[in-house]
Amino acid sequence: QTGTPLLELQNVHTYYGQIEALKGLDMTVHEGEIVALIGGNGAGKTTTLRTISGMMKPKVGSVTYQGQNVTGVPSHTIMQRGIAHVPEGRRIFPQLTVRENLEVGAFTVTDRRLIQERVNEGFALFPRLKERETQLGGTMSGGEQQMLAIARALMVAPKLLLLDEPSMGLSPLFVEAIFDIVEKLNKERGTTILLVEQNASMALAIAHRAYVLQTGEIKLSGAAQDIARDESVRKAYLGED
Ligand code: ATP
């Protein structure tokens, strides 16, 4: 890979009070890539995404996006610059309909026509949401809510999409549907994706590159297919012995 990375983390240390959750993270994401971030419980995956999207500020180190230092820039500004974050546990608005959830997601977009265009794009990508346009978000199944959460994030047409455990708690069919959409977004729209997953084997199957995180540090990184073949990764994260 050549040229300026889309995203670069350098020596990032992020804390919760006294707890050092990220201990000097270095990471790069290039435009057009799907990068998987894998690791066990408490490794710091969610904290990494929070640090990128401006929800948390690192005590030390820098986050650079499109060549600009965005360390400590508030999350709404980060979003306006093209980074969308779909947090763990799909936080949709339960009392709003599917369509309203999408419209609210476009809060940084002022052009009504553009909003409608994006709603329609979301429905094209997720026909299941179109069928449920007037249903309340809270009455949708877990998998449907995850689709809605992703579709809502896409309303700002992000350049970089941060996905936190999109497959969590979903049945195998939904997991496959979600991963298909992630690949499609990347291939057809050129959306760059940073994917946090416990489901390491599926994440590595669609990712170009991967980072393995362990207790706040990068343990291993490289081409996703090499990571998937790595013996220590197979034992620790792919359920082999
Ligand atoms: P999981 O897969 O279990 O969600 P993760 O890799 O996403 O894990 P993080 O959620 O980033 O891990 O957590 C990293 C470390 O920071 C953990 O030790 C965790 O206990 C701690 N931590 C996370 N959130 C908080 C918080 N709000 N307050 C204090 N400590 C926290």
Side-chain angles (χ1 to χ4, degrees):
Q1 290 277 3
T2 53
T4 314
L6 182 62
L7 178 78
E8 187 165 24
L9 273 62
Q10 282 175 310
N11 190 33
V12 164
H13 295 254
T14 303
Y15 287 74
Y16 295 95
Q18 303 278 76
I19 299 168
E20 187 178 23
L22 300 181
K23 302 171 182 169
L25 223 62
D26 292 308
M27 182 183 285
T28 55
V29 178
H30 292 273
E31 196 164 341
E33 279 191 309
I34 299 179
V35 174
L37 183 55
I38 62 175
N41 288 115
K45 305 181 296 297
T46 295
T47 307
T48 303
L49 296 192
R50 287 182 177 152
T51 303
I52 295 166
S53 67
M55 288 168 68
M56 294 186 73
K57 188 182 172 184
K59 196 178 247 179
V60 177
S62 65
V63 181
T64 308
Y65 173 66
Q66 292 182 311
Q68 290 188 316
N69 187 341
V70 295
T71 321
V73 169
S75 48
H76 63 269
T77 310
I78 299 267
M79 184 187 270
Q80 276 165 347
R81 295 207 193 159
I83 300 181
H85 183 179
V86 182
E88 238 171 335
R90 28 180 190 269
R91 312 239 169 79
I92 53 113
F93 297 105
Q95 308 295 354
L96 299 184
T97 67
V98 167
R99 173 177 279 277
E100 287 164 350
N101 263 281
L102 294 180
E103 289 172 350
V104 165
F107 66 96
T108 59
V109 186
T110 45
D111 180 349
R112 292 299 306 168
R113 268 221 327 255
L114 187 56
I115 293 174
Q116 288 322 307
E117 206 177 292
R118 298 232 176 112
V119 168
N120 291 333
E121 282 172 15
F123 285 156
L125 202 55
F126 298 98
R128 210 171 170 115
L129 295 182
K130 170 74 185 154
E131 291 161 19
R132 291 159 192 279
E133 191 172 338
T134 58
Q135 189 173 329
L136 292 184
T139 65
M140 309 259 286
S141 77
E144 289 164 354
Q145 288 187 31
Q146 186 58 268
M147 289 179 176
L148 182 55
I150 295 172
R152 190 178 61 180
L154 296 177
M155 290 297 292
V156 296
K159 219 175 164 48
L160 173 63
L161 184 63
L162 310 176
L163 292 174
D164 199 346
E165 306 262 8
S167 79
M168 185 147 64
L170 303 188
S171 65
L173 264 182
F174 266 113
V175 172
E176 231 171 272
I178 295 282
F179 276 91
D180 282 350
I181 293 285
V182 171
E183 249 190 321
K184 191 170 167 180
L185 276 173
N186 175 257
K187 285 212 177 96
E188 294 179 7
R189 296 192 191 174
T191 309
T192 305
I193 290 156
L194 180 56
L195 174 66
V196 161
E197 262 299 337
Q198 292 262 3
N199 193 334
S201 58
M202 288 208 69
L204 292 173
I206 65 163
H208 302 109
R209 284 191 308 118
Y211 289 88
V212 180
L213 201 56
Q214 196 176 58
T215 53
E217 292 176 291
I218 302 292
K219 211 188 150 211
L220 197 64
S221 67
Q225 54 197 40
D226 295 336
I227 301 288
R229 273 196 230 107
D230 182 273
E231 190 129 358
S232 64
V233 171
R234 301 187 74 87
K235 276 190 181 149
Y237 308 110
L238 302 175
E240 294 184 9
D241 45 35

